[in-house]
Amino acid sequence: MIAPDLETTVERLAHLIAGARRIVPFTGAGISTECGIPDFRSPGGLWTRNKPISFDAFLADRAMRDESWRRRFAMEEAFGGAQPGRGHRAVAALHGLGKAPVVITQNIDNLHQNSGIQPENIVELHGNTTYATCLDCAARYELDWIRARFDVDGTAPDCLHCSGPLKTATVSFGQAMPEEAMVRAERAARDCDLFLVIGSSLVVFPAAGFPLIAKRQGAGLVILNRDATEFDDLADLVIRHDIGSVLNKVLDRVMTPSTAH
Ligand SMILES: [Zn+2]
């Protein structure tokens, strides 16, 4: 059902959260837009203007790798300075209460980590763009190090250990999904009693599968997203208000039980 107004919305969501033992927040681009991170897939977003470089193309051609790094560094102003928003802080608060042991995210911006949640409690379905790894030996590299070398001649360095190609730790188009993340996300969805979608339209594979898994196990499903999703009919509560405002108010309500129902 779609909540009619903000007050009713807050009341219903606070009630569901208060009654849940194990919540899985599932976050997408919508939670980070107030932090200045662009929604790549939205109309006018980066990926509609610049055709994404596929994983195969990245591997096959050094020029493509350099172009990929050029684009990444061009986005650094957005990613580098971004701070967690009200939505991230609300999720971190739920985590801190012990209600949401694991957070699943489609985002690559590291903002859940920056909000104080330990990396091992975050499942990143699409990886992380705030550092890089060697595709051959998995050694980790910081972006500043790569950029200092890239800025010299517009060429990205290779791995110091094995000469393999360095790439942001994200999952590219055409690249296999990270197996461990998929397994952990499925397990979290299976074991929760409330699946809370925040800022995702649930269209990008594999996002769509998880709410169904949770629902099939009898969990409640809440969808807090600007736009309609294909799963709205299945949801116990659909909220189309501003994410930060809603979660802020809900958290206030949950933290002060005397005013909750
Ligand atoms: Zn290497």
Side-chain angles (χ1 to χ4, degrees), residues 11-94:
E11 193 175 309
R12 285 186 189 157
L13 183 52
H15 181 73
L16 286 171
I17 287 176
R21 282 178 306 105
R22 208 176 168 88
I23 301 166
V24 171
F26 181 100
T27 67
I31 197 174
S32 291
T33 45
E34 75 168 17
C35 311
I37 305 283
D39 180 354
F40 305 108
R41 295 175 176 86
S42 69
L46 281 174
W47 288 355
T48 57
R49 282 181 282 139
N50 258 338
K51 192 167 171 285
I53 295 169
S54 74
F55 187 57
D56 285 348
F58 184 94
L59 281 185
D61 189 353
R62 176 176 293 281
M64 281 301 192
R65 293 202 282 281
D66 290 339
E67 169 62 12
S68 169
W69 277 110
R70 192 191 62 73
R71 292 182 191 180
R72 175 59 188 84
F73 292 135
M75 291 192 297
E76 187 53 18
E77 212 170 305
F79 280 113
Q83 298 294 323
R86 292 169 300 166
H88 298 97
R89 291 197 293 273
V91 169
L94 281 181

Side-chain angles (χ1 to χ4, degrees), residues 19-248:
R21 282 178 306 105
R22 208 176 168 88
I23 301 166
V24 171
F26 181 100
T27 67
I31 197 174
S32 291
T33 45
E34 75 168 17
C35 311
I37 305 283
D39 180 354
F40 305 108
R41 295 175 176 86
S42 69
L46 281 174
W47 288 355
T48 57
R49 282 181 282 139
N50 258 338
K51 192 167 171 285
I53 295 169
S54 74
F55 187 57
D56 285 348
F58 184 94
L59 281 185
D61 189 353
R62 176 176 293 281
M64 281 301 192
R65 293 202 282 281
D66 290 339
E67 169 62 12
S68 169
W69 277 110
R70 192 191 62 73
R71 292 182 191 180
R72 175 59 188 84
F73 292 135
M75 291 192 297
E76 187 53 18
E77 212 170 305
F79 280 113
Q83 298 294 323
R86 292 169 300 166
H88 298 97
R89 291 197 293 273
V91 169
L94 281 181
H95 178 74
L97 287 172
K99 286 239 174 209
V102 173
V103 177
I104 306 175
T105 188
Q106 296 174 283
N107 298 339
I108 56 177
D109 54 28
N110 208 56
L111 291 181
H112 285 300
Q113 287 91 331
N114 292 350
S115 75
I117 302 177
Q118 292 300 306
E120 61 266 28
N121 297 319
I122 301 165
V123 179
E124 294 177 311
L125 294 176
H126 297 158
N128 190 309
T129 193
T130 65
Y131 61 94
T133 54
C134 168
L135 288 172
D136 290 343
C137 77
R140 173 175 168 144
Y141 289 85
E142 303 309 317
L143 296 200
D144 285 349
W145 184 88
I146 295 174
R147 184 165 199 170
R149 280 141 192 85
F150 182 86
D151 282 347
V152 173
D153 59 359
T155 303
D158 294 326
C159 179
L160 293 176
H161 309 291
C162 76
S163 303
L166 304 185
K167 182 179 159 302
T168 55
T170 47
V171 180
S172 297
F173 284 85
Q175 189 173 4
M177 292 301 297
E179 209 170 306
E180 193 205 341
M182 290 294 289
V183 168
R184 290 174 63 212
E186 266 189 57
R187 191 185 306 139
R190 238 185 1 246
D191 292 347
C192 73
D193 56 4
L194 184 61
F195 196 88
L196 177 55
V197 177
I198 305 169
S200 172
S201 298
L202 301 171
V203 285
V204 183
F205 179 84
F210 299 116
L212 287 179
I213 292 171
K215 197 69 192 158
R216 216 176 286 139
Q217 302 296 318
L221 175 62
V222 174
I223 299 176
L224 168 52
N225 191 50
R226 186 188 57 190
D227 305 314
T229 79
E230 275 185 43
F231 296 86
D232 288 359
D233 288 345
L234 272 182
D236 301 275
L237 181 61
V238 174
I239 304 168
R240 294 195 191 134
H241 289 283
D242 174 66
I243 290 169
S245 321
V246 169
L247 290 182
N248 240 4

